[in-house]
């Protein structure tokens, strides 16, 4: 039986704000998964989306769309990016998948029945954008330690997970099992900043929003996002589902890969949950660094193109994969700049690799009509090249297994560069001047093509399109395994070698930088709707034709705003008191960016009076007021053309 390898990325928020940095985890995991598959492992590579929570609910609502519709659309577009980048995941889990929701409910109930989850009251400092509660000691200058924004002292009834109970076992796990949390620097951080400070029990339910999995025995409460999200790694394998054979086969995970900002959840909360469930722990949790644009993680304002789709379409997918895998020291932060990106393409992909392929295949075509000669006359100089090629696989495996991906690629390039030097040393074009040297010339070209075969094979996991192109051009079909394919001397001679077209076009860096600046500017302008550029037209939504009976279900009424206050925990929301005849309602409206309270009191509005109540930031909204948006994106309230009786029907 083949050994198994289970690797996961975090599940992604369906925010639509994906950039090159967001692709880092998936590209790295893809390379590792492909590598293991070629080593003969039975691989399960999991990725997916983290779709519940207040932020998503609000994002959908602010666009006036149904939340499920909103996340479906986002997931489609994320999957398209993964397809473009060649991400070979075996399963894509969505936390809105029915089987996941069912399993999460069961897990919550098991933990509750065991006494590891209990109900109490929570008082803490809440950061609305991050949906996180913090203790006072965790705040930085009184603000959210993750995003630096204002936090609010909040009290609510909540279910708690007994995280504190697992403190000693967690310290023991991290201190005495160095493989578990990597790189090393993250271990210190977790021990000193969290575990030794003392773990608090964790609030694991919310009542402030509806978009999530309900606590099975108390439906007012929504299971908070980390329990819902983290358990994806086991529910995807069928844990607590109808068929748990994948769970039996693949759990525990071999690697949970993620960016460093979420390592705390994966190295403290996740193992504690697994301990509570009596499930073996993952073998490794790895927190990689960030891809930085300028000084931060996602800035679009630095003139860099950071859209993976634009970069992949303009410079080829493998240029993007190569940059991410080669340029960022694994485990540390690394920068993206247009210049460094273009330089890598020119130096490594176009010059070193591209030239080796085009020169070697061109010479086989020019001197041997495209048929690979058999190796014959050997000289001492060949030995170093052959030894290097023969030793490459073991070196790359070792580096790859230790997650030294840039080093593994660098090792492959050592062979590529050595082969280029070998061309200069053996000067095949001079050998070709005399027919008597054709034996030696054939051997030189054979050696070069063998190096390309080995390099191309080892490149397959990292740069799948480039690896296959090389192998195709040198007359080899699909290569699916390393076994039997990484040692020198496999080709027999007689293979048809195609005269290769350039693998990557050579870039005029100065000119291209100017082009990239223009593209980045256009992108930024599109996003901001400035500099005369058109803000991207939102796709026109074609709604189905409805019958009058459907329209008649709406209870639209004229109301008058009698009071208004800002909701402290939100930048966007206002709490309105609206009078409709004798009746008075509280309505929460996301119009604070365009209206101040004093503009609203006394105004007539149109109210959707029979909309199901929903809570925003803990305030129940009993209806909605109708608004439109002007060309600059300002919200405009819809009101009667002249005053109408309060509470009267709108038809
Ligand atoms: N939904 C949570 C994860 C829950 S897992 C149980 C989440 N999602 S995310 O969409 O914000 O992030 C997904 C991955 O993208 C994370 O690994 C994150 O670190 C990574 N990256 C996002 N921006 C990044 C960079 N600029 N650089 C490298 N990776 C970064 O967190």
């Amino acid at each position: 039986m083949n050994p198994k390898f289970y690797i996961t990325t975090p599940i992604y928020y369906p925010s639509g704000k994906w950039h090159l940095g967001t692709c880092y985890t998936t590209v790295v995991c893809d390379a590792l998964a492909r590598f293991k598959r070629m080593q003969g492992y039975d691989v399960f590579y999991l990725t997916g989306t983290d779709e519940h929570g207040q932020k998503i609910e609000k994002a959908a609502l602010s666009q006036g769309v149904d939340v499920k519709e909103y996340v479906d659309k986002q997931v489609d577009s994320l999957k398209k990016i993964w397809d473009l980048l060649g991400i070979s995941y075996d399963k894509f889990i969505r936390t809105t998948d029915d089987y996941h929701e069912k399993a999460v409910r069961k897990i919550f109930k098991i933990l509750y029945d065991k006494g590891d989850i209990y109900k109490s009251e929570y008082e803490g400092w809440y950061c609305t954008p991050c949906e996180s509660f913090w203790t006072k000691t965790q705040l930085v200058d009184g603000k959210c330690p993750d995003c630096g924004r204002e936090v609010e002292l909040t009290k609510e009834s909540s279910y708690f997970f007994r995280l504190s109970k697992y403190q000693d076992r967690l310290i023991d796990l991290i201190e005495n099992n160095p493989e578990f949390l990597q790189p090393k620097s993250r271990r210190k951080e977790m021990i000193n900043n969290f575990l030794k400070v003392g773990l608090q029990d964790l609030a694991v339910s919310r009542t402030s929003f509806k978009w999530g999995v309900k606590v099975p025995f108390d439906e007012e409460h929504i299971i908070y996002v980390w329990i819902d999200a983290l358990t994806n790694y086991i529910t995807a394998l069928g844990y607590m589902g109808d068929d748990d054979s994948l769970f039996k086969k693949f759990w525990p995970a071999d690697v949970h890969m993620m960016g460093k900002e979420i390592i705390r959840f994966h190295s403290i909360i996740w193992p504690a949950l697994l301990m509570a469930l009596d499930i073996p722990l993952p073998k490794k949790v790895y927190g990689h660094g960030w891809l930085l644009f300028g000084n931060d993680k996602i800035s679009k304002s630095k003139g860099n193109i950071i859209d993976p789709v634009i970069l992949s379409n303009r410079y080829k997918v493998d240029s993007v994969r190569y940059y991410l895998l080669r340029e960022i020291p694994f485990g540390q932060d690394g920068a993206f700049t247009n210049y460094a990106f273009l330089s890598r393409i020119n130096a490594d992909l176009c010059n070193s690799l591209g030239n080796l392929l085009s020169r070697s295949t061109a010479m086989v075509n020019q001197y041997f009509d495209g048929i690979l000669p058999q190796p014959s006359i050997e000289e001492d100089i060949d030995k170093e090249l052959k030894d290097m090629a023969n030793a490459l696989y073991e070196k790359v495996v070792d580096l790859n297994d230790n997650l030294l991906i840039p080093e593994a690629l660098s090792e492959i390039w050592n062979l590529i560069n050595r082969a280029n030097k070998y061309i200069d040393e053996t000067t095949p074009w001079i050998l070709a001047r005399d027919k008597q040297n054709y034996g030696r010339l054939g051997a030189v070209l054979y050696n070069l093509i063998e190096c390309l075969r080995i390099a191309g094979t080892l490149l397959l996991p990292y740069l799948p399109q480039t690896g296959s192109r090389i192998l195709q051009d040198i007359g080899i079909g699909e290569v699916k395994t390393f076994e039997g394919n990484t040692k020198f001397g496999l080709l027999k001679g007689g293979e048809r070698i195609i005269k290769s077209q350039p693998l990557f076009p050579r870039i005029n860096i100065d000119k291209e930088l100017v082009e990239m600046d223009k593209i980045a500017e256009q992108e930024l302008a599109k996003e901001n709707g400035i500099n005369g550029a058109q803000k991207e037209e939102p796709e026109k939504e074609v709604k189905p034709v409805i019958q009058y009976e459907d329209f008649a279900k709406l209870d639209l009424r004229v109301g008058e705003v009698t009071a208004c206050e800002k909701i402290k925990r939100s930048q966007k929301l206002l709490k309105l008191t609206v009078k409709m005849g004798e009746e008075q309602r509280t309505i929460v409206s996301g119009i604070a960016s365009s209206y101040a309270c004093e503009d609203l009191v006394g105004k007539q509005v149109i109210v959707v009076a029979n909309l199901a109540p929903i809570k925003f930031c803990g305030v129940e909204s009993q209806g909605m007021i109708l608004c439109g948006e002007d060309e600059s994106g300002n919200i405009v309230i819809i009101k009667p053309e002249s005053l109408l009786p309060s509470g009267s029907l709108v038809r």
Side-chain angles (χ1 to χ4, degrees):
M1 209 173 68
N2 294 336
K4 67 93 187 170
F5 185 72
Y6 179 29
I7 184 165
T8 69
T9 71
I11 41 175
Y12 286 73
Y13 292 127
S15 63
K17 292 186 183 134
W18 298 299
H19 52 82
L20 198 55
T22 353
C23 304
Y24 186 62
T25 325
T26 23
V27 168
V28 164
C29 288
D30 183 66
L32 295 173
R34 285 176 185 264
F35 200 94
K36 286 283 173 197
R37 283 189 200 112
M38 289 194 67
Q39 279 185 298
Y41 282 74
D42 219 340
V43 171
F44 198 84
Y45 171 16
L46 177 72
T47 190
T49 36
D50 187 357
E51 303 181 19
H52 291 130
Q54 200 172 13
K55 261 194 277 185
I56 309 286
E57 187 180 64
K58 279 188 188 162
L61 238 67
S62 73
Q63 292 187 13
V65 288
D66 171 70
V67 195
K68 184 67 169 58
E69 216 177 278
Y70 172 83
V71 289
D72 283 352
K73 216 167 156 191
Q74 300 288 357
V75 169
D76 277 354
S77 77
L78 184 63
K79 281 185 170 171
K80 280 190 193 135
I81 300 180
W82 293 163
D83 288 348
L84 176 69
L85 289 171
I87 307 300
S88 63
Y89 55 82
D90 293 289
K91 177 156 184 157
F92 190 103
I93 185 172
R94 299 182 56 179
T95 51
T96 50
D97 286 337
D98 192 45
Y99 71 87
H100 172 76
E101 295 193 348
K102 278 190 188 144
V104 168
R105 273 194 285 272
K106 284 189 194 164
I107 290 170
F108 199 91
K109 178 82 168 50
I110 293 172
L111 295 174
Y112 181 74
D113 290 344
K114 268 191 77 176
D116 268 337
I117 283 182
Y118 62 93
K119 194 172 185 180
S120 182
E121 271 228 318
Y122 188 85
E123 188 177 85
W125 298 86
Y126 188 65
C127 172
T128 309
C130 296
E131 294 176 18
S132 292
F133 272 102
W134 303 99
T135 60
K136 196 159 187 193
T137 48
Q138 286 172 327
L139 301 179
V140 176
D141 298 330
K143 304 219 164 110
C144 171
D146 270 357
C147 72
R149 280 179 273 207
E150 295 293 336
V151 285
E152 189 68 22
L153 189 61
T154 312
K155 207 176 197 175
E156 67 177 46
S157 122
S158 173
Y159 284 89
F160 284 81
F161 171 60
R162 263 183 227 287
L163 186 60
S164 57
K165 174 175 155 188
Y166 295 95
Q167 173 161 326
D168 293 343
R169 279 177 72 185
L170 289 167
I171 293 178
D172 180 59
L173 167 72
I174 294 178
E175 280 188 339
N176 298 322
N177 187 351
E179 275 302 299
F180 173 73
L181 175 55
Q182 290 200 0
K184 207 173 162 191
S185 53
R186 317 265 182 250
R187 288 207 285 278
K188 260 199 217 142
E189 191 186 326
M190 290 306 119
I191 296 275
N192 296 341
N193 299 0
F194 299 102
L195 287 162
K196 294 248 158 111
V197 174
L199 290 180
Q200 311 263 340
D201 287 351
L202 189 74
V204 287
S205 75
R206 295 282 182 271
T207 50
S208 49
F209 61 93
K210 291 265 169 285
W211 179 244
V213 182
K214 292 189 172 92
V215 171
F217 43 87
D218 189 352
E219 299 220 327
E220 271 291 288
H221 285 256
I222 298 296
I223 297 175
Y224 178 51
V225 71
W226 281 107
I227 286 210
D228 173 19
L230 286 162
T231 49
N232 92 86
Y233 300 129
I234 48 178
T235 63
L237 299 178
Y239 179 75
M240 288 290 148
D242 298 336
D243 173 5
D244 67 353
S245 49
L246 285 174
F247 179 72
K248 286 194 177 116
K249 177 169 176 185
F250 286 104
W251 190 258
D254 293 85
V255 185
H256 285 315
M257 185 64 72
M258 72 210 62
K260 60 185 177 182
E261 78 284 7
I262 51 175
I263 204 80
R264 179 163 72 94
F265 304 99
H266 285 79
S267 63
I268 296 179
I269 302 175
W270 182 223
L273 281 171
L274 291 167
M275 286 171 187
L277 290 166
D278 272 325
I279 296 178
L281 304 183
K283 293 185 192 159
K284 199 192 293 294
V285 169
Y286 194 100
H288 63 65
W290 289 336
L291 184 63
L292 299 173
F293 307 95
N295 288 328
D296 57 39
K297 203 167 139 228
I298 40 168
S299 171
K300 294 202 176 185
S301 56
K302 306 281 191 315
N304 287 314
I305 302 178
I306 63 171
D307 182 334
V309 178
I310 297 182
L311 290 173
S312 301
N313 289 338
R314 194 169 170 90
Y315 307 102
K316 290 193 165 186
V317 171
D318 279 353
S319 307
V320 174
R321 288 179 65 112
Y322 184 68
Y323 189 89
L324 293 177
L325 296 171
R326 174 73 192 260
E327 186 78 16
I328 321 296
F330 200 63
Q332 297 167 36
D333 293 345
F336 177 86
T337 65
N338 292 343
Y339 180 77
F341 177 64
L342 297 180
S343 304
R344 275 282 177 207
I345 299 178
N346 260 8
D348 298 359
L349 298 175
C350 174
N351 289 350
S352 301
L353 179 60
N355 274 352
L356 179 63
L357 181 69
S358 56
R359 285 160 93 192
S360 309
T361 57
M363 287 191 286
V364 176
N365 276 275
Q366 189 180 349
Y367 306 133
F368 294 94
D369 292 330
I371 304 297
L372 186 70
Q374 286 179 347
S376 50
I377 304 167
E378 278 226 27
E379 287 190 6
D380 285 350
I381 195 174
D382 303 347
K383 189 170 172 341
E384 189 193 331
L385 186 73
K386 283 187 194 173
D387 287 350
M388 206 169 168
N390 271 326
L392 185 60
Y393 175 62
E394 274 76 21
K395 281 189 184 163
V396 172
V397 167
D398 186 48
L399 292 165
N400 198 76
D401 280 353
N402 286 299
L403 299 176
L404 295 165
I405 298 176
E407 290 77 359
L409 281 166
S410 162
E411 206 54 66
I412 300 175
W413 254 263
N414 283 344
L415 178 67
I416 293 164
N417 293 335
R418 183 66 192 85
N420 273 321
K421 192 167 158 230
Y422 177 81
I423 299 183
D424 299 338
E425 289 166 350
T426 51
T427 56
W429 57 93
I430 295 179
L431 291 174
R433 285 183 199 153
D434 186 344
K435 277 279 170 201
Q436 280 191 353
N437 292 332
Y438 262 52
R440 175 65 190 146
L441 176 63
V444 165
L445 294 182
Y446 176 90
N447 293 341
L448 289 170
I449 297 291
E450 269 294 81
C451 285
L452 276 164
R453 184 184 60 75
I454 292 173
T457 303
L458 289 176
L459 278 179
L460 283 170
Y462 306 107
L463 312 179
Q465 293 185 4
T466 307
S468 337
R469 236 302 288 286
I470 294 171
L471 296 176
Q472 245 176 41
D473 286 2
I474 62 172
I476 299 183
E478 209 180 352
V479 172
K480 288 197 154 174
T481 167
F482 288 136
E483 203 179 328
N485 287 318
T486 59
K487 291 293 171 223
F488 206 90
L490 182 80
L491 295 174
K492 297 285 166 260
E495 289 83 359
R496 166 147 295 284
I497 307 292
I498 295 166
K499 187 168 181 282
S500 262
Q501 295 307 306
L503 269 182
F504 293 86
R506 179 164 290 107
I507 295 170
N508 177 329
I509 295 193
D510 289 339
K511 270 196 185 156
E512 190 58 19
L513 282 173
V514 176
E515 289 305 309
M516 285 179 103
D517 269 352
K518 279 190 210 152
I519 298 172
E521 245 168 57
Q522 280 163 10
E523 283 306 292
L524 200 65
K526 231 191 240 170
E527 208 154 276
N528 297 338
I530 52 168
N531 295 345
Q534 286 293 306
K535 200 174 175 184
E536 208 171 4
E537 275 288 309
E539 256 178 66
K540 281 216 175 75
E541 204 190 344
V542 185
K543 293 196 174 166
V545 172
I546 56 168
Q547 300 304 319
Y548 180 74
E549 301 86 78
D550 293 318
F551 173 73
K553 286 181 190 157
L554 286 175
D555 182 9
L556 298 177
R557 290 207 254 144
V558 176
E560 185 190 327
V561 180
T562 54
C564 167
E565 60 185 274
K566 283 202 78 163
I567 293 185
K568 281 198 203 124
R569 275 161 54 188
S570 161
Q571 312 267 351
K572 279 199 195 157
L573 299 178
L574 295 181
K575 178 180 165 190
L576 308 175
T577 307
V578 180
K579 202 166 164 289
M580 297 183 296
E582 294 304 300
E583 200 187 341
Q584 189 158 289
R585 300 265 186 113
T586 297
I587 294 179
V588 177
S589 186
I591 54 176
S593 57
S594 304
Y595 288 91
C597 272
E598 51 274 24
D599 304 333
L600 292 168
V601 176
K603 255 205 174 82
Q604 282 206 322
V605 290
I606 307 295
V607 178
V608 185
N610 60 341
L611 197 64
I614 179 167
K615 267 191 187 169
F616 296 103
C617 290
V619 181
E620 185 175 87
S621 182
Q622 300 152 335
M624 183 177 103
I625 62 167
L626 295 187
C627 298
E629 201 177 295
D630 71 12
E631 280 170 349
S632 326
N634 298 314
I635 299 169
V636 179
I637 290 175
I638 311 294
K639 57 178 185 156
E641 211 225 338
S642 57
L643 286 184
L644 288 173
S646 169
S648 59
L649 282 180
V650 176
R651 285 174 284 145

